[in-house]
Amino acid sequence: MTEPLVLVEKLDHVARIQLNRPHVLNALNMQLIRQLVEVLEECDQDEQIRVMIITGNEKAFAAGADIKEMVDASPVDLMVKRYLSDWLRIRQISKPLIAAVSGFALGGGCELAMCCDLIIASESARFGQPEINIGVMPGAGGTQRLTRAVGKVKAMEMILTGKSITAQEALDYGLVNRVVPVEDLDKEALALAQEIASKPPLAVRLAKQSILKALDLSLEDGLHFEQNNFCMLFATEDQREGMQAFVEKRKPTFRGR
Ligand code: CAA
């Protein structure tokens, strides 16, 4: 039997999803991305799960799209196979995604981390968009998400030189949330996931949606979008529970309803 390309472990309200092609530094072939997206979509539907963690291994989160799969491709092949279309499905996931990154997060690996809502890096993490060195450029969101994350001049430097940055530089640039010792990565990612999982899931979901809209909309439209989501939460049981618990000076219990 062939090994699954992603391994899934569900711990209470958190799903830990591990990329599993270690012999090629988790190079992201189409099959792996398809399996990852299917697992994410399944977790998004699973009422038990509130947060998903995507991780790799100590040597690599992922060293990019699978170059061997692309080396002989023509533009028509890429279009016919809808080569990058599964990547767009990650954007539709409504629950928070945390990337827990050790080792290489290059090319599509860096782009996958940036598809996530929060990034925890270990001290060994290296982020970069080296596609320029193999005759192409980022194709799974790198020019867009890296620029939004670190600003134009740093994105230009990283993408045009192909040089990677350390975890500490990624922290200084605002690309990652925090840097932790390698041995603590799993524990820290899980603690963050559990903290978010303890919050009211529908409020978390609409807050995520609203923050992502801030990157797309004008301030005027974004403020309207936020107001609508805020008002909508007053239709939830968790709003009543959260505010009632505050008034009664007790801890709320959120059910995601
Ligand atoms: N695709 C396919 N195979 C890859 C790979 C990739 N992106 N990255 C690593 N591998 C494979 C290597 O071919 C090697 O396999 P073999 O043992 O069969 O030769 C194995 O993984 C181990 O890699 P190395 O021997 O190269 O390991 P290293 O420690 O010496 O170097 C590295 C590590 C610097 C990350 C180097 O592997 C590397 O430069 N990888 C490619 C990085 C890259 O260019 N990524 C961008 C891909 S394009 C992309 O992502 C496009 C997009 O935006 C969608």
Side-chain angles (χ1 to χ4, degrees):
M1 211 177 73
T2 50
E3 273 273 291
L5 300 175
V6 296
L7 305 173
V8 188
E9 193 184 353
K10 294 186 178 177
L11 311 142
D12 295 327
H13 294 308
V14 177
R16 181 181 182 277
I17 302 164
Q18 183 175 19
L19 309 177
N20 188 36
R21 287 188 86 204
H23 56 293
V24 285
L25 306 180
N26 288 336
L28 304 166
N29 62 8
M30 282 185 76
Q31 213 190 340
L32 188 158
I33 289 293
R34 172 63 56 87
Q35 282 187 25
L36 173 65
V37 167
E38 284 173 357
V39 166
L40 290 174
E41 288 176 348
E42 190 261 312
C43 291
D44 214 28
Q45 295 292 330
D46 182 343
E47 277 202 49
Q48 261 305 105
I49 298 300
R50 297 182 176 181
V51 180
M52 286 84 98
I53 298 171
I54 302 177
T55 195
N57 55 57
E58 213 172 299
K59 176 135 198 231
F61 177 72
D66 190 324
I67 299 169
K68 292 165 196 161
E69 187 179 58
M70 295 182 288
V71 61
D72 292 321
S74 71
V76 173
D77 294 331
L78 298 182
M79 281 192 282
V80 169
K81 287 186 188 154
R82 296 172 53 75
Y83 178 66
L84 291 165
S85 63
D86 283 334
W87 285 82
L88 298 176
R89 291 162 63 187
I90 302 175
R91 194 170 145 77
Q92 304 308 321
I93 300 297
S94 67
K95 295 175 186 172
L97 303 178
I98 299 175
V101 179
S102 256
F104 298 112
L106 302 179
C110 186
E111 289 167 310
L112 178 60
M114 292 190 295
C115 285
C116 295
D117 304 304
L118 301 122
I119 305 177
I120 304 211
S122 87
E123 284 162 352
S124 77
R126 295 288 176 276
F127 296 86
Q129 298 288 163
E131 291 91 341
I132 207 81
N133 296 327
I134 54 167
V136 289
M137 57 175 272
T143 61
Q144 305 304 299
R145 290 200 176 93
L146 188 65
T147 305
R148 282 166 165 79
V150 305
K152 178 187 140 190
V153 297
K154 293 209 164 67
M156 282 284 183
E157 187 172 343
M158 286 175 69
I159 291 171
L160 301 189
T161 68
K163 285 205 180 107
S164 54
I165 57 171
T166 63
Q168 186 56 48
E169 285 169 320
L171 183 66
D172 296 342
Y173 293 0
L175 181 61
V176 306
N177 293 81
R178 64 186 76 146
V179 179
V180 301
V182 176
E183 61 277 15
D184 292 346
L185 181 69
D186 261 344
K187 193 179 66 187
E188 293 279 344
L190 188 60
L192 178 62
Q194 282 168 336
E195 187 181 350
I196 296 170
S198 73
K199 309 295 179 193
L202 294 172
V204 166
R205 190 189 302 188
L206 294 193
K208 163 173 169 163
Q209 194 185 59
S210 303
I211 293 165
L212 292 177
K213 281 286 179 204
L215 301 172
D216 292 338
L217 298 181
S218 67
L219 181 59
E220 180 76 9
D221 291 343
L223 292 172
H224 282 297
F225 190 86
E226 179 190 81
Q227 283 186 4
N228 285 337
N229 276 348
F230 177 79
C231 293
M232 185 132 75
L233 288 171
F234 285 74
T236 64
E237 290 173 18
D238 284 346
Q239 172 270 326
R240 277 185 291 286
E241 167 65 6
M243 292 193 181
Q244 202 61 45
F246 176 83
V247 172
E248 292 167 8
K249 298 187 186 299
R250 63 173 172 82
K251 210 170 167 301
T253 307
F254 295 121
R255 297 180 47 241
R257 291 279 156 176

